[in-house]
Amino acid sequence: MLLLLAVLHFGLRPWLGNGRFAPDFLLLALLVYAIGERPGRAVIAGFLVGLLSDSLRPVAFGSAMLAYAVVGYLGAWGKAVFFAENPVVAAAFFFGGVVVRDVLVLLWGGTGDPAGLAWQLGLWTPLQGLATAVTGLMVLYVFRRWLSLRLSG
Amino acid sequence: MVSERFASRWDTLAFVACVGLALVARALPERVQEAVAAGVRRTLLAPFLQVERQTSWLRAAYRESEAFLAERDSAALRAIRVEGLAEENRRLRELLALRTRLPDAGVSAVVLRQATPTRGLTVLLSKGTRDGIRPLSPVLSPRGLLGVVRSVDPTTSVAVLWTHPDFRVSAMTPDGSVFGMVRPRGGNPDTMTMLLEGVPYRDTIPPGTPLLTSGFGGVYPRGIPIGTVVAVLEEQAGLARSYVVRAAAHPGSTNHVIVLVRRLTDASAAYGPEEGL
């Protein structure tokens, strides 16, 4: 399933219109992985996803590694703290992952001016967060047996 | 209990190690960062980039098939009404003329899209050293200057767009009478605005004046459209003026680009007076 999400990231996203708010399947794969894993493994997975992301966009090399590692770590802990089998909580979980990722990449990368930062975090990040959350819920629903989830309404 | 504590300690250790590695990666020299990124692109990411490249071509072919059908229909109409020829000619020229006017100087490449929030600053292109692309190769769209190649792999390359804070290009008015330096203005990229700085106070540029690359610096050939002067932004009393410039090429709506692989001194022949300005 994780490989499928990675393939979708590169194969389906170009068809989903504006890349600024198309769902981020790589982040989704990381968060779904983090749901079922210990924080230690999730942080390593996040670091690797960040390495891939940084290699694609070497604007501020290292910023995505840090951001995805933190997201993976928080995601694994968040699963233990917030019971992510409720759809609303799961959606908030995916939305929060996108927000935390973008905040860390932009602030740690230091590439944006204040106005650009405001536009990204005020408009595009929430939109991508929403798209990723909706897609994440669909993924959880489709793969609920594989993930041993009981999504309650 | 003991194993749980050990596992928790291991989690913390993994977190600290990964964050530490990320900090080290951020602090590495740019040359080393580029080498690591290129290595990952050539190995781990290679199959995924191939998927994206094929998808992009498929998407482009799908769109072009629609355009082709539309053009076929319009060709049938043109056979009846020749006056449609001028409009058709204009559209075809925008799609094809730039490539044909730069017959052996440029290669066309697909813009591969990514999800990170820095996407508006750089793009990954589907061509690399195998097609003759080198660092500092100018990246053009049919509308004008889009950016410059920063690093190159055999099959892909990374280009810095004009929206990147480090982007600078020497500009001039079409008559070559006024020169200045253009840089991104920042803020919302959708405003499509740049700044023209360093224009001597004695020179004034009226709104609506096109700006072209001057050719100074040796990176960009002379005569590529950069944008159009919109208004004066500020005046440093008696010294210089800054102007707001509306960019000619929009990174967000560009799917295909031309990368100049042969050094030209003058590219003005590739852009007619109507191109994008």
Side-chain angles (χ1 to χ4, degrees), chain A residues 5 8 12 25-26 30-31 36 40 58 63 66 69 71 74 77-78 80 99 101-102 112 118 122-123 131 153:
Chain A
L5 287 173
L8 287 177
L12 183 62
F25 291 97
L26 274 185
L30 172 63
L31 290 172
S63 59
L66 177 79
V71 166
L74 293 180
W77 277 115
V99 172
R101 189 274 313 266
D102 282 7
L123 179 63

Side-chain angles (χ1 to χ4, degrees), chain A residues 1-150:
Chain A
M1 185 197 63
L2 299 177
L3 183 64
L4 174 68
L5 287 173
V7 171
L8 287 177
H9 185 81
F10 292 94
L12 183 62
R13 283 191 89 251
W15 294 86
L16 298 180
N18 194 325
R20 285 189 281 202
F21 51 77
D24 187 340
F25 291 97
L26 274 185
L27 185 70
L28 199 55
L30 172 63
L31 290 172
V32 169
Y33 178 77
I35 285 177
E37 281 296 339
R38 292 198 56 82
R41 289 187 179 181
V43 75
I44 291 172
F47 179 82
L48 292 176
V49 172
L51 176 63
L52 299 183
S53 180
D54 271 334
S55 301
L56 289 169
R57 299 274 158 170
V59 171
F61 197 77
S63 59
M65 290 181 215
L66 177 79
Y68 280 93
V70 171
V71 166
Y73 189 73
L74 293 180
W77 277 115
K79 158 66 180 169
V81 177
F82 308 104
F83 193 62
E85 294 178 7
N86 179 295
V88 178
V89 176
F93 179 72
F94 295 130
F95 181 87
V98 173
V99 172
V100 171
R101 189 274 313 266
D102 282 7
V103 167
L104 288 175
V105 167
L106 290 171
L107 294 184
W108 176 240
T111 53
D113 61 296
L117 203 67
W119 273 99
Q120 176 63 40
L121 295 179
L123 179 63
W124 301 117
T125 296
L127 285 176
Q128 190 180 45
L130 282 175
T132 305
V134 170
T135 311
L137 285 180
M138 289 193 284
V139 168
L140 289 186
Y141 183 77
V142 171
F143 294 98
R144 62 189 182 283
R145 287 188 181 172
W146 190 82
L147 294 166
S148 304
L149 287 177
R150 285 176 289 105

Side-chain angles (χ1 to χ4, degrees), chain B residues 154-245:
Chain B
T155 56
T156 59
S157 50
V158 176
V160 171
L161 302 176
W162 63 257
T163 49
H164 195 286
D166 295 341
F167 182 86
R168 300 288 186 277
V169 58
S170 174
M172 66 177 189
T173 52
D175 60 2
S177 62
V178 183
F179 291 81
M181 189 62 73
V182 167
R183 68 174 177 86
R185 190 183 181 193
N188 180 13
D190 285 346
T191 57
M192 287 273 293
T193 51
M194 308 161 150
L195 285 183
L196 173 66
E197 296 179 321
V199 177
Y201 193 78
R202 64 176 183 276
D203 297 326
T204 55
I205 308 179
T209 304
L211 290 180
L212 309 175
T213 53
S214 69
F216 291 158
V219 175
Y220 306 101
R222 184 184 178 94
I224 301 172
I226 299 172
T228 309
V229 172
V230 176
V232 176
L233 180 67
E234 62 177 0
E235 299 184 354
Q236 298 167 8
L239 292 175
R241 288 190 177 92
S242 297
Y243 293 85
V244 178
V245 176

Side-chain angles (χ1 to χ4, degrees), chain B residues 26-106:
Chain B
R26 185 77 183 93
L28 286 172
E30 195 169 297
R31 183 175 48 80
V32 180
Q33 292 178 343
E34 293 285 358
V36 173
V40 173
R41 284 197 298 270
R42 287 177 200 172
T43 53
L44 286 174
L45 280 171
F48 295 110
L49 289 176
Q50 183 65 22
V51 168
E52 183 167 10
R53 192 176 300 121
Q54 295 298 329
T55 302
S56 296
W57 280 118
L58 191 63
R59 183 165 169 259
Y62 177 76
R63 286 187 169 180
E64 284 167 11
S65 70
E66 288 182 340
F68 173 76
L69 289 174
E71 285 169 13
R72 188 193 62 182
D73 293 343
S74 65
L77 284 173
R78 262 205 325 276
I80 304 168
R81 294 186 303 170
V82 179
E83 54 266 33
L85 193 61
E87 172 62 16
E88 179 67 11
N89 187 35
R90 188 195 67 76
R91 284 194 293 130
L92 284 175
R93 228 180 27 214
E94 183 170 308
L95 287 170
L96 300 172
L98 185 59
R99 178 75 180 86
T100 53
R101 286 179 208 173
L102 299 165
D104 55 350

Side-chain angles (χ1 to χ4, degrees), chain B residues 82-142:
Chain B
V82 179
E83 54 266 33
L85 193 61
E87 172 62 16
E88 179 67 11
N89 187 35
R90 188 195 67 76
R91 284 194 293 130
L92 284 175
R93 228 180 27 214
E94 183 170 308
L95 287 170
L96 300 172
L98 185 59
R99 178 75 180 86
T100 53
R101 286 179 208 173
L102 299 165
D104 55 350
V107 295
S108 60
V110 176
V111 175
L112 303 175
R113 299 179 178 281
Q114 295 304 326
T116 53
T118 53
R119 67 193 145 261
L121 307 178
T122 64
V123 288
L124 191 65
L125 304 178
S126 65
K127 297 281 177 68
T129 50
R130 287 180 190 167
D131 298 284
I133 296 177
R134 289 177 174 74
L136 297 182
S137 296
V139 179
L140 315 179
S141 82

